[in-house]
Amino acid sequence: MYSDTNTIGIVGAGAGGEAILANLLEIPGIIVKYMCDINPDAPALELARKNNIQCITDTSLKVLLDDTEVDLIFEITGKDKVFEYLQKNKLPGCNVMGSAAARVMFHMIDTQQKITTELKAYKIMLAERVMERTDELEFVNKELQQQVYSYQILNEKLQEINDEKTKYLVNATHQLKAPFAAIQSYVDILLAGYADDLSDKVIGIVGKIKTRCVLLSQSIKEMLELANLNSCIEENIKMENVCLNSLIAEVIDMVESISEARRIEFEFKQCTGNCMVKCNPDQIKTLVQTLIENALNYSDDNSEIEVTLIEGPSTRVTLTVTDHGIGIAPKNLKLIFKEYFRSNEAVKKSMNGTGLGLSIAKRIAQIHRTDILVDSTLGEGSSFKVAFSLLQE
Ligand SMILES: Nc1ncnc2c1ncn2[C@@H]1O[C@H](COP(=O)(O)OP(=O)(O)OP(=O)(O)O)[C@@H](O)[C@H]1O
Ligand SMILES: [Mg+2]
């Protein structure tokens, strides 16, 4: 389709020649060297002069025909004689194109130019659209940033309110601690008989007061603990390398007197592999104690509780506490981690309880980037699982 032709001469400087010259001037790589016409006032001659193209007005066209650089001659006069003359006298390496062929070619060039112009317009339109969309996106982005900013402010305010609430709760519960401790010691004095001889009836009532006091002190302790855990800055919690086998054995020892009295047997399968974890030992002790005490509280006497610690899955070590007690109804499985929730079965089995133990344990698990999973069948027993990340060597 492409030839090496790049030097051109045009014969015929009328309106057609002028149109062809104008077109050729637009095409890169093409040199129009000659514009020829016997009429010195032909319109294309003026355009040719303006573009420093050599103009020939003699009839022989010798300069054009003898020029070895000329590859192609456009004959635009429409006269057969001129075409024949050019064909006859041209050099062998030169081609002559008649008016009809030139018209077809320029029709093609014209069409191509139209397409180019349309493409340019399309490009401009696309660029404008991209700019419009960019503006829109910038606007939406700014709005989003503003919203994020207002949410941040709102969040900070909520955090402040929450901190205030926690502070108030901690203060109030703390204030309650001292009077309860005092009541408890007065009750102990009465029960020990230091005040006076009391009738059995009074001793019975005072004994009930003591039980309630113990329960309330326990509730206050748990409320304080949960409030502190909720408001603590996690980064400030002291973490230590802990052997979970020893920590769990310590907790089981702590409840030994209760389990022995109720003839509940603990079977502790220690971990035979790695069980070193980085944790806050006090918090993990509380978590393990909660699971073990619940297993005790919600089991029948003469039953068995299995505690196992197994390395895995992957880089974790898993603690499982399984009892054969009252179990948990499916509808309550989600609720047991909510503050103050106690199932009817649990209240029947053990009156004393605040319903805060598992909320505290769950928060501790969260601080240690883990979770407590539960599997239970009502009337058959429950199994609680926690997987801790092993200490990386
Ligand atoms: N091992 C278990 N078997 C059956 N139900 C359980 C068991 N552990 C927990 N639950 C249920 O989950 C509830 C919440 O337990 P959680 O330890 O938070 O509170 P609690 O035992 O009632 O009181 P406390 O806060 O004094 O421990 C219990 O009241 C009981 O309904
Ligand atoms: Mg409990």
Side-chain angles (χ1 to χ4, degrees), residues 311-340:
E311 192 177 344
S314 172
T315 53
R316 301 193 142 218
V317 54
T318 306
L319 162 71
T320 312
V321 180
T322 308
D323 65 59
H324 306 279
I326 60 169
I328 302 161
K331 67 174 168 64
N332 290 335
L333 281 175
K334 272 194 206 142
L335 302 173
I336 57 171
F337 295 99
K338 292 216 179 299
E339 291 166 28
Y340 303 106

Side-chain angles (χ1 to χ4, degrees), residues 137 173 189 215 223 255 306 330 361:
L137 279 174
T173 12
I189 290 168
L215 197 63
M223 278 161 79
V255 296
E306 292 104 44

Side-chain angles (χ1 to χ4, degrees), residues 172-190 209-210 212-221 224:
T173 12
H174 196 78
Q175 302 271 336
L176 286 173
K177 249 175 110 176
F180 269 115
I183 293 170
Q184 249 177 296
S185 48
Y186 286 129
V187 167
D188 285 340
I189 290 168
L190 287 177
I209 295 174
K210 183 175 164 85
R212 284 296 163 120
C213 277
V214 170
L215 197 63
L216 272 171
S217 305
Q218 177 66 16
S219 300
I220 289 170
K221 194 181 136 250
L224 270 173

Side-chain angles (χ1 to χ4, degrees), residues 222 289-291 293-295 297-298 342 352-358:
E222 285 185 351
Q289 195 177 341
T290 302
L291 299 183
E293 279 181 355
N294 278 348
N297 289 342
Y298 303 118
R342 303 200 74 215
N352 306 340
T354 36
L356 283 178
L358 282 181

